Amino acid sequence: MADDIDDSGAITHRSGHMSGRMTTRIEVVGRVSGRRRWTVEQKLGILRDAFGPDGAVRTACERHEVGSGQLYTWRRRAMSGELTGIRTPALPIFAEVEISQPSPLTPPLAEAIGQIGIELPSGVRVTVDAAVDADALARVIGVLTR
């Protein structure tokens, strides 16, 4: 059994099986540099290439040799400000509430009386009743808004 490496880096494996007539050619393709480090400007450029007006994630992944999961992680971090290091704190958003009399067509459910629903910007909805501990609720909402 013998292995030969040609000028292109391809490995040809010759087997002693069947009088040496069987050969298998294996081409090894890969980056020599290993793990890459991208600057913030490079990441933002790749994101523009992938998500811009004429962008396509698949094309950008192939062009820049980046996995799609990496692109979506960079996009999430860019949208939160974490990628550039400029994080804007999430401010609570309050909506105007108007309390009206229940409609006679839809009587209130007994279990819904005294409950309040809180919908966070992330889409998470928390429902609590009047007996909720305010400090505990503040800690839960703090964790959910991270």
Side-chain angles (χ1 to χ4, degrees):
M1 232 185 337
D3 292 337
D4 293 325
I5 300 176
D6 65 15
D7 294 335
S8 69
I11 300 171
T12 303
H13 174 74
R14 291 183 307 205
S15 171
H17 181 69
M18 296 177 57
S19 304
R21 294 181 188 190
M22 180 181 210
T23 61
T24 305
R25 184 173 168 90
I26 302 170
E27 187 172 347
V28 179
V29 178
R31 288 191 322 267
V32 178
S33 64
R35 184 179 177 142
R36 293 173 289 177
R37 301 281 182 192
W38 300 94
T39 65
V40 173
E41 291 78 20
Q42 289 172 321
K43 292 176 186 178
L44 292 173
I46 294 169
L47 288 174
R48 278 190 294 277
D49 189 23
F51 299 106
D54 296 322
V57 172
R58 181 177 178 178
T59 306
C61 288
E62 291 170 356
R63 183 177 300 131
H64 301 284
E65 296 182 356
V66 177
S68 60
Q70 184 68 68
L71 284 182
Y72 286 104
T73 299
W74 288 347
R75 183 177 76 163
R76 179 180 41 81
R77 293 183 68 210
M79 292 174 70
S80 72
E82 188 177 352
L83 185 66
T84 58
I86 304 169
R87 293 187 83 172
T88 55
L91 299 174
I93 300 172
F94 295 98
E96 184 177 336
V97 176
E98 184 178 316
I99 301 175
S100 64
Q101 295 297 322
S103 168
L105 299 175
T106 56
L109 299 173
E111 62 269 7
I113 295 176
Q115 291 185 340
I116 183 170
I118 303 167
E119 188 164 346
L120 302 173
S122 63
V124 174
R125 185 171 170 86
V126 179
T127 304
V128 296
D129 63 13
V132 69
D133 178 72
D135 293 331
L137 179 60
R139 286 193 303 272
V140 168
I141 290 176
V143 169
L144 292 175
T145 56
R146 285 187 194 162

